[in-house]
C-alpha cells in the first residue's frame, strides 16, 4: 500500500505529530466517557455523548480497521477487483472510492438507526450509547467490512450464494428462507412506523401524499423533458418537497383536514396498494426519482442535525439507566436491558441487513481492494453516528412526554388525562395541559401514544433545530422530520418489495424456468402480490393489535435483523478458518458469539417465558384461558379483540421460533465445516485467484502526497495507450 | 478564493459523478476517442434506465 511508503527523512516528524494527534483524540474520548460514566443526577450535556462517539470512531477506524485490513483480511492492492476484471459498464464498474462510499452509505442507512435508539431510550441513555458505539466498532462495522471483502473476492456473490457454496446446501437453503422471511418482517415493521406517524395527522398525510406526484413528475421530467439532468431534477424535487411540507400547515384552511385524517386501517390499505403498484411500475417513474430525493434529504438532514446538536448543546433529560432496564417492565417494549437493548438497537450497532448490501452491488464497484476498509468499516461508522444523533434527540426531550408518546394506547387510554396519570405511575410528571401544549406547538392533534419512534424523534429534532436556529418553526421542523423519515421508509418499502419480488421469482425460477423471467408480467405481478401480501398481513397484525403493534412486533424485527447478522458473521468465521486463518477467527467470532447469546436469549424469552408481557405463547394462553372463562383482559374491550391478541401472539411466536431454528441450522452446518477445516489446516474456497491489477488509486478518504504522485504518474502513462486504441 | 473555487469544482464533480450525470460526458469522450457517432442523449439515458430496471436496488432499513 502506498500509505506506508513514506520516505524515512519525513518519518520522524510525521510519527511524532501522529502520536500527538492520536493522544489528544484518545484523551478527549476518555474524558467524555468518564463524564458519562460518573455523572448522576446532575445536568449532563448531550455533547459528551456526541464527542465520546466521534473520538471512539476515529480511534477504531485508525487502528482496529487497519489491523483487520492488514493482518486479518490482508487486503492486496496488487490484486484486480471484480470491477477491474469484469468491467461491463452495467453492474461491474470501477468507481471512485468517495463516490462509492456515498452510494454504499445511501444504501445501508435508512429509518432503522433512527427508530431503534429512540425506543431503546426507555432503558436510559447509557445502555444505548454504549451499545451503539462499542457494537459498531467490534461488531457492525466488522461484519460489513468482512462480508464486503468476501463478496469482492468472489465476484460479488450474494450472501445466500456464499453460504450455500462455502457452508453447505442445508445451511444455504435455511439462509435463503431466513433472508426472505426477515425482509418481510422488516418491511412490515418499517411500514408500521410510517402508519403510526401518519395516522390522525392530516399535515403528515398531505405532505407524504404529495411525494408521490412529485416523484412521478421528476420521473417524467427526467425521461422526456431533460433526460439525464439528475441534479437539476432533484433540486426541483427538493423545493417541491419543502413546499409540500409548508403547504401541509394550511390543510385546515384548505378544508382538507377531515379528508386527510385517516385511520390506521385505511392507511394500511393505501400502503399495500401503493407498494404493489410501485413494485410493478417501471423504476424510472417512481422508484428512481424517489430514491434521489431520499438520498439528498438523508445527507442534508444528517448534516443539519450534527450542526444543530453542536449549536443547541441540549441537556440530557433521561436518566443514565432507568428502572425498566433492570426490571424489564418498560411500557415501550417488555424485557430487561440484556438482551433487549441489543436487539432493539440493530441498525447503527450491528445490522444483518447490511450484509445483503455488502454482498450485492457495492463489491462489484470497488476499484481497489484497500477501499474495503473505508467503504465497509467507514460507511458503518457513519450510520452509527446517525444512530447516536437519534438517541440524543430522544433523550433530550421531557421524559414525561417521551413516555406519553411511546406507551401503547392500551396503557394511556389515548387521552392527555390518561397519559398524564399513566406517566405518573411510572414516576414521571407531566400535566394534561403540558401534553396539549406540546401537541399544539407542532400543530398535531395529539402526542399521546404516538408510538413507533418516528414522532418522538421528530419531536426531538424539532426541539433541537428550534433551539439551534431560532424562529417560530417548530411545527415546520416536526413535519420536516416526519417527512424525511417517511420518505426513507417508503423508499425502503418500494425497493424492498422489488427485491423480494426478484428473490421470489429467482427461487421459483429454479423449478419453473419461465417464472424467473423478470419481464414476464404474470410472474412479476404475482410475485409482487405475494411479497406485498406477506408484509401487508404482518402490518395489519401490528396495526390492529390491542397490545400495541410496535410493542409486539419491534422485538421480532430486531431479533430477525440480528439473526441475519449471525448468519453473515458465521460465514465470515467459516471463511477465515477455511483460509487457514484460525488465529484471526476471533475478529468476527467475538461479535458472532455475542450476537448468538443475545438473539438466542431473546428468542428463548419471547418463546418460552411464562411472563405474559414477554413470552408470545404465554401471552396467547393467558388470553385464551380468560376467553374460555368468558372474561375480558385489558386492553381488549371485546371477545373479538381477545381473539386478535391470541392469533397475533401465536403468529409472532411461531415466526420467532422459525427464525431461531433457521439460524441454528446454519450455525450447526457451519460448525461441521469449522471442524473439518481446522483438522485439515485449511480448505479450498471459491475465492477467485490473484490477477494483477493495473489501476492506481489512493487507499483512504484523503490521498497522501505520495499517492497523488503515483496516480498522476499512472495517468500520464495511460494517456498514450488510450489514444492508440 | 482559489480554495473556494477548488472546493466548488470538487463538490460539483462529486455530485455529478454520484448522481450519474457525468456518465454522458464519459460516453461522449469515449465516442470521440473511438471515432463513433454518439447516440442522442435521450436514447442514451433510456438505455441506462432499462439497465436499472432489471437490477434490484436494495435499500436498507
Amino acid at each position: 500500500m502506498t500509505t506506508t511508503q513514506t520516505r524515512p527523512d519525513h518519518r520522524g516528524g510525521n510519527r511524532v505529530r501522529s502520536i500527538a494527534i492520536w493522544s489528544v483524540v484518545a484523551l478527549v474520548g476518555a474524558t467524555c466517557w468518564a463524564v458519562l460514566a460518573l455523572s448522576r443526577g446532575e445536568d449532563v450535556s448531550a455533547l459528551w455523548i456526541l464527542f465520546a462517539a466521534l473520538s471512539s470512531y476515529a480511534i477504531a477506524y485508525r487502528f482496529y480497521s487497519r489491523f483487520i485490513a492488514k493482518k486479518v483480511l490482508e487486503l492486496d492492492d496488487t490484486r484486480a477487483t471484480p470491477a477491474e476484471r469484469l468491467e461491463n459498464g452495467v453492474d461491474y464498474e470501477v468507481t471512485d472510492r468517495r463516490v462509492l462510499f456515498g452510494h454504499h452509505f445511501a444504501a445501508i442507512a435508512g429509518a432503522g438507526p433512527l427508530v431503534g435508539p429512540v425506543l431503546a431510550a426507555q432503558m436510559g441513555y447509557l445502555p444505548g450509547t454504549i451499545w451503539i458505539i462499542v457494537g459498531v466498532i467490534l461488531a457492525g462495522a466488522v461484519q460489513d467490512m468482512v462480508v464486503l471483502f468476501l463478496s469482492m473476492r468472489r465476484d460479488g456473490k450474494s450472501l445466500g450464494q456464499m453460504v450455500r457454496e462455502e457452508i453447505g446446501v442445508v445451511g444455504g437453503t435455511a439462509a435463503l428462507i431466513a433472508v426472505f422471511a426477515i425482509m418481510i418482517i422488516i418491511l412490515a415493521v418499517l411500514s408500521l412506523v410510517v402508519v403510526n406517524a401518519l395516522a390522525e395527522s392530516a399535515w403528515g398525510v398531505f405532505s407524504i401524499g404529495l411525494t408521490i406526484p412529485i416523484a412521478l413528475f421528476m420521473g417524467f421530467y427526467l425521461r422526456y423533458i431533460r433526460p439525464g439532468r439528475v441534479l437539476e431534477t432533484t433540486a426541483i424535487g427538493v423545493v417541491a418537497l419543502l413546499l409540500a411540507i409548508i403547504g401541509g400547515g394550511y390543510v385546515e384552511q384548505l378544508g382538507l383536514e377531515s379528508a386527510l385524517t385517516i385511520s390506521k386501517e385505511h392507511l394500511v390499505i393505501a400502503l399495500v396498494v401503493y407498494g404493489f403498484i410501485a413494485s410493478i411500475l417501471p423504476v424510472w417513474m417512481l422508484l428512481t426519482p424517489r430514491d434521489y430525493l431520499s438520498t439528498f434529504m438523508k445527507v442534508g438532514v444528517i448534516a443539519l442535525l450534527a450542526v444543530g446538536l453542536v449549536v443547541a448543546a441540549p441537556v440530557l433529560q433521561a436518566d443514565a439507566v432507568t428502572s425498566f432496564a433492570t426490571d424489564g417492565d418498560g411500557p415501550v417494549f417488555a424485557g430487561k436491558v440484556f438482551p433487549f437493548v441489543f436487539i432493539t438497537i440493530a441498525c447503527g450497532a450491528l445490522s444483518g441487513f447490511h450484509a445483503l448490501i455488502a454482498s450485492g452491488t457495492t463489491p462489484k464497484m470497488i476499484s481497489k481492494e484497500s477501499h474495503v476498509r473505508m467503504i465497509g468499516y467507514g460507511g458503518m461508522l457513519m450510520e452509527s453516528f446517525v444512530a447516536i444523533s437519534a438517541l440524543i434527540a430522544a433523550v433530550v426531550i421531557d421524559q414525561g412526554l417521551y413516555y406519553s408518546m411511546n406507551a401503547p394506547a392500551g396503557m394511556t387510554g389515548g387521552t392527555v388525562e390518561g397519559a398524564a396519570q399513566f406517566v405518573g405511575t411510572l414516576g414521571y410528571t407531566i400535566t394534561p395541559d403540558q401534553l396539549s401544549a406540546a401537541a399544539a406547538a407542532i400543530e398535531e392533534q395529539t402526542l399521546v401514544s404516538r408510538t413507533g419512534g418516528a414522532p418522538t424523534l421528530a419531536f426531538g429534532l424539532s426541539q433541537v433545530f428550534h433551539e439551534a436556529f431560532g424562529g417560530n418553526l417548530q411545527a415546520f421542523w416536526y413535519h420536516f422530520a416526519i417527512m424525511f423519515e417517511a420518505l426513507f421508509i417508503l423508499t425502503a418499502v418500494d425497493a424492498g418489495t422489488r427485491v423480494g419480488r426478484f428473490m421470489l421469482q429467482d427461487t421459483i425460477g429454479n423449478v419453473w424456468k419461465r417464472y424467473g423471467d423478470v419481464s414476464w408480467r404474470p410472474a412479476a405481478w404475482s410475485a409482487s402480490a405475494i411479497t406485498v401480501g406477506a408484509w401487508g398481513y404482518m402490518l395489519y397484525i401490528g396495526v390492529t393489535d390491542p397490545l400495541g403493534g410496535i410493542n409486539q412486533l419491534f422485538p421480532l424485527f430486531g431479533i430477525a435483523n440480528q439473526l441475519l447478522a449471525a448468519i453473515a458473521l458465521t460465514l465470515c468465521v467459516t471463511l477465515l478458518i477455511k483460509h487457514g486463518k484460525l488465529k484471526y477467527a476471533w475478529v468476527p467470532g467475538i461479535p458472532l458469539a455475542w450476537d448468538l447469546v443475545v438473539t438466542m436469549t431473546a428468542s428463548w424469552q419471547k418463546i418460552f417465558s411464562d411472563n405474559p408481557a414477554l413470552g408470545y405463547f404465554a401471552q396467547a394462553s393467558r388470553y385464551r384461558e380468560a376467553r374460555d372463562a368468558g372474561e375480558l383482559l385489558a386492553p381488549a374491550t371485546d371477545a373479538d379483540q381477545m381473539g386478535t391478541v391470541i392469533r397475533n401472539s401465536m403468529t409472532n411466536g411461531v415466526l420467532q421460533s422459525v427464525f431461531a431454528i433457521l439460524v441454528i441450522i446454519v450455525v450447526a452446518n457451519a460448525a461441521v465445516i469449522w471442524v473439518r477445516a481446522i483438522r485439515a489446516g485449511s480448505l479450498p474456497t471459491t475465492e477467485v485467484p490473484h490477477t494483477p491489477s493495473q489501476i492506481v488509486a489512493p487507499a483512504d478518504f484523503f490521498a497522501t502526497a505520495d499517492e497523488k504522485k503515483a496516480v498522476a504518474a499512472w495517468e500520464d502513462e495511460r494517456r498514450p495507450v488510450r489514444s492508440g486504441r | 478564493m482559489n480554495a473556494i473555487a477548488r472546493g466548488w469544482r470538487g463538490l460539483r464533480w462529486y455530485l455529478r459523478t454520484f448522481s450519474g450525470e457525468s456518465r454522458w460526458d464519459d460516453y461522449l469522450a469515449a465516442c470521440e476517442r473511438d471515432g463513433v457517432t454518439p447516440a442522442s442523449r435521450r436514447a442514451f439515458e433510456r438505455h441506462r434506465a432499462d439497465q436499472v430496471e432489471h437490477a434490484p436496488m436494495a435499500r436498507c432499513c
Side-chain angles (χ1 to χ4, degrees):
Chain A
M1 256 196 304
T2 37
T3 37
T4 56
Q5 291 166 357
T6 330
R7 265 171 282 139
D9 49 330
H10 283 169
R11 227 185 198 158
N14 277 351
R15 228 185 131 72
V16 170
R17 210 179 61 181
S18 162
I19 291 175
I21 290 174
W22 289 104
S23 305
V24 171
V25 175
L27 201 67
V28 170
T31 311
C32 293
W33 278 114
V35 169
L36 290 177
L38 300 176
S39 309
R40 289 291 178 278
E42 54 224 271
D43 283 353
V44 183
S45 165
L47 292 184
W48 294 110
I49 294 185
L50 201 66
F51 286 101
L54 289 176
S55 43
S56 305
Y57 297 157
I59 291 174
Y61 183 75
R62 167 64 180 76
F63 296 99
Y64 192 46
S65 75
R66 187 178 149 99
F67 162 76
I68 298 174
K70 293 202 148 187
K71 301 283 183 194
V72 182
L73 305 180
E74 294 181 271
L75 298 180
D76 180 0
D77 271 344
T78 69
R79 242 178 208 268
T81 60
E84 183 176 357
R85 281 186 290 108
L86 308 172
E87 174 139 31
N88 59 7
V90 186
D91 43 357
Y92 291 98
E93 190 158 40
V94 173
T95 308
D96 181 275
R97 65 196 191 288
R98 293 153 298 186
V99 172
L100 185 56
F101 176 84
H103 282 302
H104 183 74
F105 176 70
I108 61 172
L114 299 174
V115 173
V118 172
L119 302 179
Q122 84 159 345
M123 303 292 191
Y125 62 82
L126 209 48
T129 303
I130 295 174
W131 168 234
I132 291 173
I133 299 175
V134 177
V136 75
I137 289 171
L138 295 179
V142 174
Q143 175 208 260
D144 288 17
M145 178 175 172
V146 178
V147 170
L148 180 58
F149 167 80
L150 296 174
S151 176
M152 176 191 70
R153 283 275 174 100
R154 285 160 186 77
D155 289 347
K157 279 189 186 143
S158 70
L159 181 72
Q161 246 175 326
M162 287 193 285
V163 172
R164 191 170 60 232
E165 289 171 4
E166 304 289 357
I167 294 177
V169 179
V170 178
T173 312
L176 195 71
I177 301 171
V179 168
F180 185 75
I182 287 167
M183 208 164 66
I184 296 295
I185 294 294
I186 290 178
L187 291 178
V189 173
L190 288 179
S191 313
L192 184 58
V193 172
V194 169
V195 168
N196 283 357
L198 295 188
E200 319 299 338
S201 165
W203 185 337
V205 170
F206 178 83
S207 324
I208 304 299
L210 274 180
T211 63
I212 298 173
I214 291 173
L216 283 173
F217 167 77
M218 289 170 66
F220 279 90
Y221 185 83
L222 257 179
R223 193 164 175 94
Y224 295 106
I225 303 176
R226 298 272 288 163
R229 270 69 162 205
V230 178
L231 293 177
E232 172 189 316
T233 313
T234 307
I236 296 174
V238 169
V239 171
L241 215 56
L242 293 177
L243 290 178
I245 302 172
I246 297 169
Y250 298 96
V251 281
E252 211 174 325
Q253 285 91 320
L254 292 170
L256 293 170
E257 197 168 19
S258 62
L260 292 177
T261 305
I262 302 176
S263 72
K264 290 183 180 180
E265 286 80 359
H266 288 144
L267 277 172
V268 171
I269 297 170
L271 211 53
V272 165
V273 171
Y274 166 77
F276 176 74
I277 294 175
S279 131
I280 56 171
L281 277 185
V283 288
W284 63 262
M285 242 186 240
L286 197 59
L287 223 164
T288 308
R290 188 194 269 296
D291 195 50
Y292 291 138
L293 277 184
S294 100
T295 304
F296 281 93
M297 287 279 285
K298 194 179 300 182
V299 176
V301 173
I302 291 164
L304 203 62
L305 180 57
V307 174
L309 281 176
V310 172
V311 174
V315 170
L316 303 178
Q317 300 295 326
D319 297 328
V321 182
T322 62
S323 66
F324 309 126
T326 43
D327 302 341
D329 55 355
V332 184
F333 58 90
K336 295 182 184 177
V337 64
F338 178 85
F340 286 97
V341 118
F342 306 100
I343 56 154
T344 308
I345 301 179
C347 311
L350 169 65
S351 168
F353 219 79
H354 292 188
L356 302 183
I357 315 271
S359 63
T361 39
T362 311
K364 296 177 184 158
M365 296 165 77
I366 291 186
S367 52
K368 295 300 281 181
E369 285 212 345
S370 53
H371 299 170
V372 161
R373 180 181 168 206
M374 61 170 276
I375 292 165
Y377 203 94
M380 181 62 190
L381 286 182
M382 183 120 150
E383 161 143 313
S384 181
F385 175 73
V386 177
I388 277 287
S389 308
L391 180 82
I392 293 176
V395 295
V396 297
I397 65 176
D398 180 86
Q399 291 303 289
L401 181 61
Y402 172 85
Y403 288 101
S404 306
M405 291 180 77
N406 286 289
M411 297 177 184
T412 61
T415 61
V416 285
E417 291 79 17
Q421 196 196 349
F422 173 73
V423 165
T425 65
L426 299 175
Y428 297 91
T429 41
I430 191 160
T431 62
D433 287 346
Q434 285 170 325
L435 274 171
S436 306
I442 52 157
E443 298 182 31
E444 283 286 279
Q445 287 176 357
T446 177
L447 283 175
V448 173
S449 292
R450 299 296 300 273
T451 59
T456 309
L457 177 69
F459 191 88
L461 289 183
S462 71
Q463 188 179 307
V464 169
F465 288 160
H466 182 67
E467 278 172 33
F469 307 126
N472 195 16
L473 294 171
Q474 199 171 356
F476 170 81
W477 287 123
Y478 175 86
H479 288 95
F480 178 76
I482 289 285
M483 153 76 91
F484 115 101
E485 284 179 86
L487 201 59
F488 275 14
I489 295 181
L490 290 181
T491 312
V493 168
D494 290 358
T497 304
R498 233 179 124 75
V499 172
R501 178 199 129 188
F502 276 49
M503 268 165 62
L504 208 57
Q505 282 192 261
D506 190 46
T507 309
I508 298 178
N510 289 331
V511 197
W512 175 20
K513 206 155 186 337
R514 182 147 193 215
Y515 200 83
D517 175 5
V518 288
S519 43
W520 189 44
R521 266 212 193 127
W525 289 36
S526 59
S528 297
I530 295 171
T531 311
V532 171
W535 65 251
Y537 176 70
M538 291 306 295
L539 172 60
Y540 190 76
I541 283 189
V543 162
T544 52
D545 200 310
L547 296 172
I550 285 291
N551 181 315
Q552 292 287 294
L553 280 184
F554 205 84
L556 191 61
F557 160 79
I559 296 174
N561 203 349
Q562 301 303 56
L563 285 171
L564 194 53
I567 296 179
L569 288 166
T570 302
L571 176 76
C572 299
V573 171
T574 309
L575 275 167
L576 282 181
I577 297 179
K578 281 175 97 172
H579 279 287
K581 290 184 182 172
L582 180 62
K583 69 170 173 176
Y584 291 126
W586 59 268
V587 170
I590 289 176
L592 173 61
W594 171 252
D595 187 39
L596 282 174
V597 169
V598 165
T599 48
M600 290 302 155
T601 312
S603 304
W604 182 269
Q605 292 185 4
K606 294 308 280 184
I607 297 169
F608 295 110
S609 171
D610 51 15
N611 172 6
L614 196 54
Y616 286 125
F617 293 118
Q619 194 171 60
S621 55
R622 175 149 177 257
Y623 278 81
R624 195 178 298 116
E625 279 161 21
R627 185 186 57 180
D628 293 347
E631 296 164 22
L632 280 181
L633 278 181
T637 48
D638 56 38
D640 262 4
Q641 289 200 337
M642 295 293 285
T644 310
V645 171
I646 297 167
R647 204 168 48 244
N648 292 356
S649 302
M650 289 301 289
T651 311
N652 297 344
V654 169
L655 278 172
Q656 184 75 77
S657 321
V658 170
F659 289 156
I661 290 168
L662 287 171
V663 172
I664 291 173
I665 292 174
V666 177
V667 177
N669 194 169
V672 175
I673 308 290
W674 296 347
V675 172
R676 227 182 271 162
I678 292 170
R679 279 196 187 139
S682 69
L683 284 179
T685 77
T686 55
E687 185 171 277
V688 175
H690 183 291
T691 316
S693 168
Q694 308 299 328
I695 296 177
V696 176
D700 216 329
F701 288 97
F702 300 102
T704 63
D706 290 329
E707 284 177 331
K708 281 183 186 157
K709 232 178 277 173
V711 171
W714 176 64
E715 280 173 350
D716 278 346
E717 188 185 307
R718 232 166 39 131
R719 221 157 269 146
V721 182
R722 275 214 156 171
S723 57
R725 249 188 233 165
Chain B
M1 214 47 215
N2 209 356
I4 296 174
R6 255 216 336 265
W8 170 249
R9 269 206 309 277
L11 182 69
R12 201 178 112 89
W13 168 85
Y14 189 85
L15 290 176
R16 285 178 52 83
T17 318
F18 182 80
S19 64
E21 234 182 85
S22 61
R23 297 295 182 89
W24 171 247
D25 306 335
D26 298 347
Y27 170 71
L28 286 185
C31 286
E32 198 183 345
R33 211 167 43 233
D34 301 342
V36 187
T37 324
S40 73
R41 176 122 198 209
R42 179 169 296 201
F44 175 78
E45 297 295 347
R46 195 154 294 188
H47 176 68
R48 281 192 55 216
D50 289 344
Q51 285 168 351
V52 178
E53 190 68 46
H54 294 289
M57 175 178 52
R59 280 291 179 265
C60 183
C61 28

